[in-house]
Amino acid sequence: MPRPREFDESRVLLAIRDEFWDKGYAATSMDDLLRVSGLGKGSLYGAFGDKRSLFLRVLRDYDDANLLALRERQVSAARGIDVVREFVLGLTGDPTGAVARRGCLLANSNAELSASTPDVAAEARRSYDAIATVLTAALERAQSEGDLDPDIDPSETARAALVAQLGLIALGRTGMDIEALAVVAQSALARLLPTPAQ
Amino acid sequence: MPRPREFDESRVLLAIRDEFWDKGYAATSMDDLLRVSGLGKGSLYGAFGDKRSLFLRVLRDYDDANLLALRERQVSAARGIDVVREFVLGLTGDPTGAVARRGCLLANSNAELSASTPDVAAEARRSYDAIATVLTAALERAQSEGDLDPDIDPSETARAALVAQLGLIALGRTGMDIEALAVVAQSALARLLPTPAQ
DNA sequence: CCTATTGTGGCCCATTCGGTCCAGAACTTG
DNA sequence: CAAGTTCTGGACCGAATGGGCCACAATAGG
């Protein structure tokens, strides 16, 4: 009965996500979002509500996608240890450094907004908890596969891996040399995952 | 000959720093800054220039003060290892968690602005480099004092300590339970500074 | 083919933004 | 005490902000 949407919702959300990601929440205007989405005001407000709701929607989608990808890696990876390794080193995979410079939408948003927007802080807690849970499973798997000292606490190490990744994200966002960042990431990883006692 | 300033410059800069710290750069208006500083527009613009210059000034002062405090600790601390310990655990010292929730002005600003404001990214690189240098000296001292395995690379470990602190800052800013954060910080520190081989 | 319903885009608005400017105040020097 | 210089606060500005609104378009059901 109703007239159908003329735009691709997920494409629009990705374009808007990129805009928020590049400029930050406060520095992104509704005009920017209208431009990158190609929609008119009525359409955008009608579909997603105001700027804040739209942002939270985009942030949640982003987190869900990241978490899903991590879970899929945990299922498909040859070894549990590889999941953690890739989690920590991921940022340094792009040799141009663009990925490192961009950082993480959640980390950026949390730094900008957690003090003024409780929803963002809550979203970050939720997301980091879920990540730690998956990493814990990956580390338990690594122990059973003989790739990790059985004496270490997987849950503790998972949190430490999360801290390491967050630190690398923060450091990478300074725009420092990507090769230097890769060296730091390697040494952070080495401290995290000592080879099991023979 | 000139009429003297009627306000205390450093007090005004601290009030403005707090405002930027709590709200972020973009979300802080000049009206906010006039209110917390108690000055009129002519005075504020005359003394510090526009919003951007004022922010960069505040950020540099903040970094300089932090770096100076770290250097002083390196001089006054009983042991080099204590400097690194306090550097990593510092955030968790406040049992109310307010310090952890607030995070670090530089880290917050870098996350919000480094992509759009090269000066902020450059300031972050400069500051983190200087911190790593002081931490390296502290770790070398720790080695000579027998508190750290002589085989480890002090410079590498200094970078890893910086990454750990940045990660803890990011995690603390989510507003998670401060005691849980302290546990994570302890385990991150333990991975960073293994007791020297006996 | 007509009507009901929803999508669409842009016009419009009040508010707030960062920044300029200026008239008068305050102080130092001669 | 007079002159010169800087400081001070607020009036003022044009532009941009987030958001409301509405006339019209397009579709589905009768």
Side-chain angles (χ1 to χ4, degrees):
Chain A
M1 190 184 308
R3 169 180 174 184
R5 289 262 164 82
E6 286 183 5
F7 61 90
D8 178 350
E9 186 173 295
S10 68
R11 199 191 48 77
V12 163
L13 284 173
L14 285 181
I16 286 174
R17 179 203 66 178
D18 287 343
E19 195 68 9
F20 276 130
W21 200 342
D22 289 336
K23 296 197 177 182
Y25 175 77
T28 301
S29 71
M30 289 303 292
D31 269 353
D32 290 333
L33 299 179
L34 293 177
R35 185 174 38 79
V36 300
S37 70
L39 299 184
K41 275 213 162 149
S43 306
L44 200 59
Y45 273 88
F48 307 109
D50 63 8
K51 185 185 177 186
R52 181 196 160 97
S53 307
L54 176 53
F55 175 74
L56 288 174
R57 163 69 185 276
V58 160
L59 186 60
R60 286 198 186 104
D61 286 359
Y62 172 85
D63 288 342
D64 289 346
N66 273 354
L67 189 58
L68 192 66
L70 183 63
R71 286 203 179 107
E72 279 172 2
R73 257 174 279 151
Q74 155 69 353
V75 170
S76 67
R79 293 170 166 272
I81 199 85
D82 293 337
V83 176
V84 183
R85 214 185 289 279
E86 190 189 333
F87 177 77
V88 174
L89 301 182
L91 267 192
T92 64
D94 168 28
T96 72
V99 170
R101 237 173 291 124
R102 206 178 197 199
C104 165
L105 175 62
L106 177 60
N108 296 348
S109 304
N110 187 56
E112 180 186 352
L113 300 170
S114 72
S116 57
T117 314
D119 287 349
V120 170
E123 173 67 18
R125 287 194 298 273
R126 186 183 72 89
S127 185
Y128 292 152
D129 263 354
I131 289 171
T133 300
V134 180
L135 291 179
T136 300
L139 288 165
E140 285 166 349
R141 200 183 136 197
Q143 284 180 329
S144 76
E145 289 164 348
D147 291 325
L148 187 67
D149 189 330
D151 288 338
I152 71 131
D153 180 341
S155 172
E156 240 185 55
T157 302
R159 299 272 171 188
L162 175 59
V163 166
Q165 201 220 34
L166 290 176
L168 289 167
I169 288 172
L171 200 55
R173 184 130 174 98
T174 63
M176 69 178 278
D177 180 70
I178 181 69
E179 294 186 27
L181 184 68
V183 171
V184 178
Q186 283 291 350
S187 86
L189 185 67
R191 276 155 230 280
L192 214 56
L193 303 176
T195 5
Q198 298 296 338
Chain B
M1 192 183 308
R3 171 180 174 185
R5 288 259 164 84
E6 286 183 5
F7 60 91
D8 177 350
E9 185 173 297
S10 69
R11 199 191 49 77
V12 162
L13 284 173
L14 285 182
I16 286 174
R17 178 204 66 178
D18 286 343
E19 195 67 9
F20 277 131
W21 201 343
D22 289 335
K23 297 196 176 182
Y25 174 77
T28 300
S29 69
M30 288 304 291
D31 270 352
D32 290 332
L33 299 179
L34 294 177
R35 185 174 38 79
V36 300
S37 69
L39 299 184
K41 274 204 162 161
S43 307
L44 201 60
Y45 274 88
F48 307 108
D50 63 8
K51 185 186 178 188
R52 180 195 161 98
S53 307
L54 177 53
F55 176 74
L56 288 174
R57 163 69 185 276
V58 161
L59 185 61
R60 285 196 187 107
D61 286 358
Y62 173 85
D63 288 342
D64 289 345
N66 273 353
L67 190 58
L68 192 65
L70 183 63
R71 286 203 180 109
E72 278 171 3
R73 257 173 278 151
Q74 155 69 353
V75 171
S76 67
R79 292 169 167 273
I81 199 85
D82 293 337
V83 176
V84 182
R85 215 185 288 279
E86 190 190 333
F87 177 77
V88 174
L89 301 182
L91 266 193
T92 64
D94 169 29
T96 72
V99 170
R101 236 173 292 122
R102 204 176 201 203
C104 165
L105 175 62
L106 177 60
N108 296 349
S109 304
N110 187 56
E112 180 187 353
L113 301 170
S114 71
S116 56
T117 313
D119 287 348
V120 171
E123 173 68 18
R125 287 195 299 273
R126 186 183 73 88
S127 185
Y128 292 152
D129 262 355
I131 289 171
T133 300
V134 180
L135 291 179
T136 300
L139 288 166
E140 285 168 349
R141 200 181 136 198
Q143 283 180 329
S144 75
E145 289 164 346
D147 291 325
L148 187 67
D149 189 330
D151 288 338
I152 71 133
D153 179 341
S155 173
E156 241 185 53
T157 303
R159 300 270 170 188
L162 176 59
V163 166
Q165 201 219 33
L166 291 175
L168 289 167
I169 288 172
L171 200 55
R173 185 133 173 96
T174 63
M176 69 178 279
D177 180 71
I178 180 69
E179 294 186 28
L181 183 67
V183 171
V184 178
Q186 283 290 348
S187 86
L189 184 66
R191 275 156 230 281
L192 213 56
L193 303 176
T195 4
Q198 298 294 339

